[in-house]
Amino acid sequence: MRDVKPILWKGGRLELLDQRKLPFNETYIELRGARDTARAIRSMVVRGAPAIGVTAAFGLALEAARFRDGHLHDDFERAASVLLAARPTAVNLRWALERLRATAAALGENVTPESLARALRRQALALYREDIAANRALGAAGARLLSRGDVLTHCNAGALATAGYGTAIGVIRSAWSSGRRFGVYATETRPFLQGARLTAWELVKLRIPVTLITDGMVGAVLASGKVGAVVVGTDRTAANGDVANKIGTYTIAVLARRHGVPFYVAAPTSSIDLDCAGGDDIPIEQRDADEVTHIRGRRIASEGVRVFNPAFDVTPAELVTAIITEQGVVRGGDRKGLARAVRAAQLERGRSTSPGRA
Ligand code: MRU
């Protein structure tokens, strides 16, 4: 199977697979700088925490070609703040921009615009490659947890939501390629339909049997006893293990606990925010009412109705069985384990980006 590539970086050009058009059209859009990259992130051309982090890094690297000599710091910060404002919940956006800021700082004051732009392009590409490697490692670490029954997932934490391979779907595909056989229940994921449009599409392509359900069917499916594990992704996991993910995740975690089904979160360390003490500190994006009142541009609710449309919710750590990172599996709510995983990833990066290997 040809790998799904949500982000293409070729010869210094950035193209994004327009995820709003899937599963019917596979078209790419070219981006040229920070502003149109921020617009693409906000309008969901690209979505999913790791994918928006990596895309923002490429957007900033492209913008660097316009930075003015003598104003490099200001131009960098202006572009970074445009990108950071695109979506608030996924910490990967901040994480990726901080990595680029550290790259710029390491070059010192006397850097030329050309060498800064070159270094930022190199760093963005490193983030892209690291993300795929982390997802593969995370997939392998989590695969052995899927030891019985079918699997239920929510939203899309697949290749489309990352630089490639996927996080929750990475765990699923890794278990599948190691020979385990099971079916996957994919929730539709109202209102943006990431499950129906994207997860179902990816799993069909991977030839992993997938059954699409509406979000309201999760209780009945878990009560049927067929599901052995729930695996979801995360936009930001706080230091205490509280998990922000797509709206509806919390409901699924409560139901999983009610039915004794383990609830796993696939979290590359790039989505763990140790500066955020707990779920209450995670900013939750509120999106346009039209996403709820309309489907594909067609109104389905009365004019005048009020709408509540948070894009994410927070699942408290006590409902999380384990968090699967590229550094291994951490028990839900194990603060020290989470901090250790983040530190181990930082150390590994330090080793692989030591002079001569950048
Ligand atoms: O609004 P989206 O589509 O960006 O939300 C995506 C999710 O909630 C994913 O589960 C999360 O970003 C993890 S993706 C590996």
Side-chain angles (χ1 to χ4, degrees):
M1 194 215 52
R2 203 166 45 86
D3 258 358
V4 171
K5 289 202 157 82
I7 304 164
L8 294 181
W9 177 253
K10 274 191 292 196
R13 291 182 50 202
L14 175 63
E15 290 185 23
L16 296 180
L17 177 57
D18 188 346
Q19 300 192 28
R20 299 167 306 179
K21 304 225 164 90
L22 292 172
F24 305 115
N25 289 305
E26 281 181 57
T27 50
Y28 283 82
I29 296 180
E30 181 169 2
L31 302 180
R32 298 186 185 277
R35 268 174 214 291
D36 60 351
T37 302
R39 214 174 302 121
I41 292 171
R42 201 173 310 115
S43 65
M44 310 282 273
V45 171
V46 62
R47 28 67 49 203
I52 64 179
V54 170
T55 301
F58 281 129
L60 187 53
L62 283 177
E63 187 67 33
R66 297 185 197 99
F67 290 175
R68 298 157 302 160
D69 207 0
H71 297 82
L72 293 179
H73 178 76
D74 290 351
D75 288 354
F76 179 103
E77 289 306 328
R78 197 168 309 114
S81 65
V82 166
L83 288 158
L84 188 61
R87 289 190 80 189
T89 303
V91 71
N92 302 63
L93 203 50
R94 190 187 79 198
W95 180 88
L97 296 171
E98 277 172 4
R99 291 279 303 273
L100 263 58
R101 187 174 287 117
T103 301
L107 296 173
E109 297 283 309
N110 297 324
V111 65
T112 64
E114 294 72 28
S115 48
L116 175 62
R118 208 174 318 117
L120 294 180
R121 285 197 299 270
R122 213 183 307 134
Q123 182 61 270
L125 184 58
L127 294 192
Y128 174 93
R129 291 183 177 141
E130 260 177 43
D131 184 58
I132 298 175
N135 295 338
R136 287 186 176 276
L138 178 162
R144 57 190 80 106
L145 299 173
L146 307 188
S147 56
R148 61 163 205 94
D150 290 337
V151 179
L152 186 141
T153 190
H154 184 54
C155 191
N156 173 266
L160 287 168
T162 62
Y165 198 74
T167 62
I169 293 187
V171 173
I172 289 169
R173 63 196 286 189
S174 177
W176 184 268
S177 39
S178 71
R180 259 228 64 215
R181 290 296 170 258
F182 52 86
V184 178
Y185 287 97
T187 55
E188 177 186 43
T189 318
R190 276 281 288 152
F192 213 75
L193 304 177
Q194 289 93 330
R197 296 187 304 103
L198 310 176
T199 297
W201 181 72
E202 283 196 39
L203 290 170
V204 166
K205 266 180 178 288
L206 289 166
R207 297 182 196 279
I208 298 175
V210 52
T211 303
L212 182 62
I213 58 173
T214 67
D215 300 359
M217 294 171 191
V218 170
V221 169
L222 291 177
S224 76
K226 290 184 184 146
V227 173
V230 173
V231 192
V232 297
T234 177
D235 288 82
R236 187 183 308 221
T237 289
N240 70 345
D242 289 351
V243 170
N245 190 47
K246 180 52 55 194
I247 188 74
T249 303
Y250 170 50
T251 318
I252 297 174
V254 172
L255 285 163
R257 177 58 57 89
R258 168 76 178 83
H259 294 286
V261 175
F263 181 87
Y264 298 118
V265 176
T269 53
S270 58
S271 56
I272 298 171
D273 184 1
L274 297 180
D275 295 335
C276 192
D280 288 348
D281 302 327
I282 300 177
I284 300 293
E285 177 184 9
Q286 300 289 328
R287 290 188 64 88
D288 209 315
D290 285 7
E291 289 181 356
V292 178
T293 54
H294 291 65
I295 291 184
R296 302 240 137 192
R298 233 191 123 120
R299 190 162 192 108
I300 54 155
S302 301
E303 296 279 0
V305 71
R306 281 194 247 164
V307 168
F308 175 51
N309 187 19
F312 303 97
D313 59 24
V314 174
T315 298
E318 67 188 89
L319 295 176
V320 176
T321 309
I323 294 181
I324 308 163
T325 79
E326 73 275 22
Q327 298 294 334
V329 177
V330 177
R331 205 171 21 84
D334 175 0
R335 295 162 188 257
K336 287 191 181 149
L338 276 185
R340 253 195 314 273
V342 171
R343 246 189 335 265
Q346 280 164 350
L347 275 175
E348 202 169 289
R349 263 196 308 278
R351 276 196 297 274
S352 66
T353 55
S354 56
R357 299 192 61 188

